[in-house]
Amino acid sequence: AVYHSISALSSLHVQMLVKMLVCMQPVFLWAGKPPMFGDYEAQRHWQEITYNLPVHEWYFNTTDNNLNYWGLDYPPLTAYHSLLCGHVASLINPDWVELHTSQGFESSAHKLFMRATVLIADLLMYVPAVVLYCFYLSEGSNRKKVCLVLCILLYPGLILIDYGHFQYNSISLGLALWGVLGLGLGWDMLGSLAFVLAVNYKQMELYHSLPFFCYLLGKCFKQGMAGRGLFLLVKIAVTVLVTFTLCWLPFLTDPGQVLQVLHRLFPVGRGLFEDKVANTWCSLNVLIKIKTILSTDTQLYLSLAATLLAALPSSIKLLTKPTLWQFKLALVNSSLAFFLFSFQVHEKSILLPALPVCLLLGDLPLPAVWFLQASTFSMLPLFLKDGLFVPYAVTSSAFVFYSVYLLSALEHSSEEELRLRPVRRLVCLPRVDLGRIFYLSVAAMAGLSFMSVALAPPARLPDLFPLLVSVFSFLHFLGLLLYFNVVQIAEPPSPRRKNPKKTE
């Protein structure tokens, strides 16, 4: 126990070292390169726009707000957060958010300020939710719960995207996790409130919307729609409507404002996918040029149908058995279905299924670690553009080592612990050494990572390595989507509790 505690503390030190290493990176994606200056400039520019312009101009193209130059394309809570940061930035140095003249502004002091805003958001929103989840909604000894906290916080994907690529995903994911906490502890209104705030911070949180809806509706059905269930449904509906109204209040005075915001949030014109994202359409596009042979409308309807079909079995099961175990699995299956099949998916969207997979680290450690490592690997092309290969290599290695060791992932890979025994009664599954396959998979990811850096692609295939990364990751995601669906549909609604009060 002492040895494990020392290992847990050393993993915390690694996590802090990793964040410091990422924060010491001198540049962000395309920083200092006109005309767009990169994602760092996008966040700064939103602070400039929200601080200097009235609310009714934030989402409209005007002489002071060129939407082609990092136009605001996230919901109102993101805009309010940018406004708050803009006010603080103006107090420190007005030049940081001066209208027009601050375009492309960079300085060491401003980079420190911007990174500090990410760290503060992380500490206020995401970290407390992780700690509370692990100690109140996960099982096992206190030592295991501490190890679980450290492994979730050490997840490389979120660290590299938020601190390196530069975004505030910890806010939307943190709010979604507060929603899970609320529902898991029986505080349905609080959970609904938190999730609505998450959706109003980043619209991609809709990836998690079906499980929240089915869990709450299933709970209402279970309590009886003629009595307590109906009353609960009304309370949840009022909570959702009031929260949405308050978030959108400045825009509700004019229907044109609402329509323009929605137009900015769901830009259909951007196409089926961007870059080399590890989803179905990008991988299939290698063989069939979907974006060329199908119209935009056809692509939209095809992706919508495929997404709903992929998410439907999980949602129906959750609706009929609204338990926390089913809810966590449904969050994984729904968000992964959206990532693999929905319209206009970005590489960073893999963080949405990664969050609920983190919640399964204590229950299904090997599949969860495998998925999280593959999700980080799938964003390698983005990290290379950001100059984050060294932090990527350090965080990935640390995460695999500590999570496999602290959570005993390889020791918990039996048929029963992987929840596959009910499936074997129906289907004859071959027996395989999952530990060996896991290490071969990780070795292949490491090999492709170093090849992407050390080798030049053939002149005729300039995108060879990003494409290999994308397809290889997609195969992992597709296989794990099937696995998590099988676990949810075939297994009992919750794992057996073993001495929940016993601690070491």
Side-chain angles (χ1 to χ4, degrees), residues 27-30 39 157 160-162 164-167 169 274-277 346-351 375-389 392 452 465-466 469:
V27 295
F28 300 92
L29 178 59
W30 308 121
D39 280 37
L160 293 170
I161 290 297
D162 275 17
H165 184 74
F166 199 83
Q167 289 197 341
N169 292 288
E274 290 187 24
D275 297 327
K276 299 296 183 289
V277 61
H346 195 280
E347 301 105 305
K348 298 187 292 290
S349 300
I350 194 61
L351 296 177
S375 70
T376 303
F377 171 73
S378 73
M379 296 184 281
L380 176 63
L382 189 61
F383 298 146
L384 294 181
K385 290 179 183 178
D386 291 340
L388 293 172
F389 179 75
Y392 158 78
S452 299
F465 292 125
V469 169

Side-chain angles (χ1 to χ4, degrees), residues 86-206:
H87 276 285
V88 178
S90 178
L91 292 174
I92 299 173
N93 187 341
D95 293 340
W96 293 352
V97 288
E98 188 69 28
L99 190 62
H100 301 309
T101 59
S102 62
Q103 180 173 312
F105 182 90
E106 291 179 23
S107 71
S108 298
H110 187 251
K111 289 177 182 178
L112 179 62
F113 163 75
M114 294 289 276
R115 277 168 166 151
T117 61
V118 176
L119 180 60
I120 291 171
D122 205 4
L123 294 175
L124 291 179
M125 196 65 64
Y126 185 70
V127 175
V130 169
V131 173
L132 289 175
Y133 169 82
C134 292
F135 278 90
Y136 285 93
L137 292 182
S138 66
E139 298 179 358
S141 65
N142 287 333
R143 185 193 68 205
K144 180 181 177 180
K145 293 177 180 180
V146 171
C147 292
L148 191 58
V149 169
L150 296 173
C151 290
I152 293 176
L153 295 181
L154 195 57
Y155 169 55
L158 184 59
I159 294 174
L160 293 170
I161 290 297
D162 275 17
Y163 289 88
H165 184 74
F166 199 83
Q167 289 197 341
Y168 296 97
N169 292 288
S170 61
I171 296 180
S172 57
L173 295 177
L175 286 168
L177 186 48
W178 280 107
V180 173
L181 270 169
L183 269 56
L185 294 173
W187 303 335
D188 296 325
M189 269 58 72
L190 177 62
S192 302
L193 170 66
F195 182 67
V196 170
L197 292 177
V199 172
N200 279 284
Y201 191 87
K202 283 200 172 184
Q203 64 270 35
M204 286 80 75
E205 276 298 329
L206 289 171

Side-chain angles (χ1 to χ4, degrees), residues 342-397:
S342 66
F343 193 86
Q344 183 41 227
V345 174
H346 195 280
E347 301 105 305
K348 298 187 292 290
S349 300
I350 194 61
L351 296 177
L352 291 153
L355 173 68
V357 171
C358 283
L359 307 186
L360 295 177
L361 276 169
D363 304 298
L364 302 167
L366 183 59
V369 171
W370 205 337
F371 176 91
L372 294 171
Q373 182 58 28
S375 70
T376 303
F377 171 73
S378 73
M379 296 184 281
L380 176 63
L382 189 61
F383 298 146
L384 294 181
K385 290 179 183 178
D386 291 340
L388 293 172
F389 179 75
V390 172
Y392 158 78
V394 171
T395 53
S396 298
S397 302

Side-chain angles (χ1 to χ4, degrees), residues 56 60 248-260:
H56 66 268
F60 279 86
W248 287 70
L249 194 58
F251 305 94
L252 296 179
T253 55
D254 180 7
Q257 286 278 334
V258 176
L259 292 176
Q260 177 63 13

Side-chain angles (χ1 to χ4, degrees), residues 210 281 302-312 334 337-343:
L210 278 176
W281 310 123
L302 177 62
S303 63
L304 176 62
T307 303
L308 292 178
L309 285 174
L312 193 60
S334 174
F338 270 82
F339 177 81
L340 289 176
F341 299 105
S342 66
F343 193 86

Side-chain angles (χ1 to χ4, degrees), residues 438-502:
F438 169 74
Y439 279 124
L440 287 174
S441 170
V442 171
M445 293 180 202
L448 272 174
S449 298
F450 284 102
M451 288 170 63
S452 299
V453 174
L455 300 180
R460 294 179 58 186
L461 300 170
D463 295 327
L464 175 62
F465 292 125
L467 195 58
L468 288 175
V469 169
S470 171
V471 174
F472 188 70
S473 303
F474 161 72
L475 294 175
H476 282 73
F477 298 151
L478 185 62
L480 286 164
L481 174 66
L482 294 173
Y483 166 75
F484 286 122
N485 268 281
V486 166
V487 170
Q488 183 184 356
I489 294 170
E491 282 280 330
S494 62
R496 294 179 180 177
R497 294 181 177 269
K498 298 181 180 180
N499 300 325
K501 294 183 180 180
K502 182 179 178 180

Side-chain angles (χ1 to χ4, degrees), residues 1-318:
V2 173
Y3 189 68
H4 274 76
S5 300
I6 294 173
S7 298
L9 287 174
S10 66
S11 114
L12 177 60
H13 294 153
V14 169
Q15 182 207 354
M16 298 306 298
L17 178 62
V18 161
K19 289 191 176 182
M20 290 174 61
L21 180 63
V22 175
C23 289
M24 287 171 62
Q25 293 296 303
V27 295
F28 300 92
L29 178 59
W30 308 121
K33 298 180 180 180
M36 299 302 286
F37 300 100
D39 280 37
Y40 169 83
E41 167 63 9
Q43 301 292 337
R44 189 216 58 80
H45 180 64
W46 295 344
Q47 296 174 19
E48 170 196 346
I49 292 300
T50 54
Y51 177 73
N52 289 286
L53 300 181
V55 174
H56 66 268
E57 292 186 23
W58 287 356
Y59 292 91
F60 279 86
N61 196 51
T62 66
T63 54
D64 290 325
N65 185 20
N66 179 12
L67 293 182
N68 291 323
Y69 182 77
W70 296 120
L72 190 58
D73 54 4
Y74 283 109
L77 277 189
T78 290
Y80 305 150
H81 177 232
S82 296
L83 176 62
L84 175 62
C85 293
H87 276 285
V88 178
S90 178
L91 292 174
I92 299 173
N93 187 341
D95 293 340
W96 293 352
V97 288
E98 188 69 28
L99 190 62
H100 301 309
T101 59
S102 62
Q103 180 173 312
F105 182 90
E106 291 179 23
S107 71
S108 298
H110 187 251
K111 289 177 182 178
L112 179 62
F113 163 75
M114 294 289 276
R115 277 168 166 151
T117 61
V118 176
L119 180 60
I120 291 171
D122 205 4
L123 294 175
L124 291 179
M125 196 65 64
Y126 185 70
V127 175
V130 169
V131 173
L132 289 175
Y133 169 82
C134 292
F135 278 90
Y136 285 93
L137 292 182
S138 66
E139 298 179 358
S141 65
N142 287 333
R143 185 193 68 205
K144 180 181 177 180
K145 293 177 180 180
V146 171
C147 292
L148 191 58
V149 169
L150 296 173
C151 290
I152 293 176
L153 295 181
L154 195 57
Y155 169 55
L158 184 59
I159 294 174
L160 293 170
I161 290 297
D162 275 17
Y163 289 88
H165 184 74
F166 199 83
Q167 289 197 341
Y168 296 97
N169 292 288
S170 61
I171 296 180
S172 57
L173 295 177
L175 286 168
L177 186 48
W178 280 107
V180 173
L181 270 169
L183 269 56
L185 294 173
W187 303 335
D188 296 325
M189 269 58 72
L190 177 62
S192 302
L193 170 66
F195 182 67
V196 170
L197 292 177
V199 172
N200 279 284
Y201 191 87
K202 283 200 172 184
Q203 64 270 35
M204 286 80 75
E205 276 298 329
L206 289 171
Y207 283 28
H208 297 142
S209 58
L210 278 176
F212 272 88
F213 174 79
C214 291
Y215 176 85
L216 290 169
L217 185 60
K219 188 172 181 178
C220 292
F221 285 148
K222 193 174 181 180
Q223 292 185 6
M225 293 303 291
R228 291 175 54 199
L230 179 60
F231 182 58
L232 176 61
L233 181 62
V234 170
K235 290 194 295 182
I236 293 171
V238 170
T239 301
V240 170
L241 290 174
V242 170
T243 307
F244 262 107
T245 301
L246 292 176
C247 289
W248 287 70
L249 194 58
F251 305 94
L252 296 179
T253 55
D254 180 7
Q257 286 278 334
V258 176
L259 292 176
Q260 177 63 13
V261 175
L262 292 174
H263 174 71
R264 293 295 301 165
L265 300 187
F266 303 103
V268 177
R270 289 186 180 178
L272 188 58
F273 59 87
E274 290 187 24
D275 297 327
K276 299 296 183 289
V277 61
N279 76 347
T280 303
W281 310 123
C282 182
S283 301
L284 191 59
N285 199 64
V286 177
L287 303 174
I288 305 172
K289 302 303 178 183
I290 301 174
K291 296 180 76 171
T292 302
I293 63 177
L294 298 180
S295 66
T296 301
D297 287 345
T298 303
Q299 295 173 31
L300 182 61
Y301 295 138
L302 177 62
S303 63
L304 176 62
T307 303
L308 292 178
L309 285 174
L312 193 60
S314 170
S315 300
I316 292 175
K317 182 63 182 287
L318 177 62

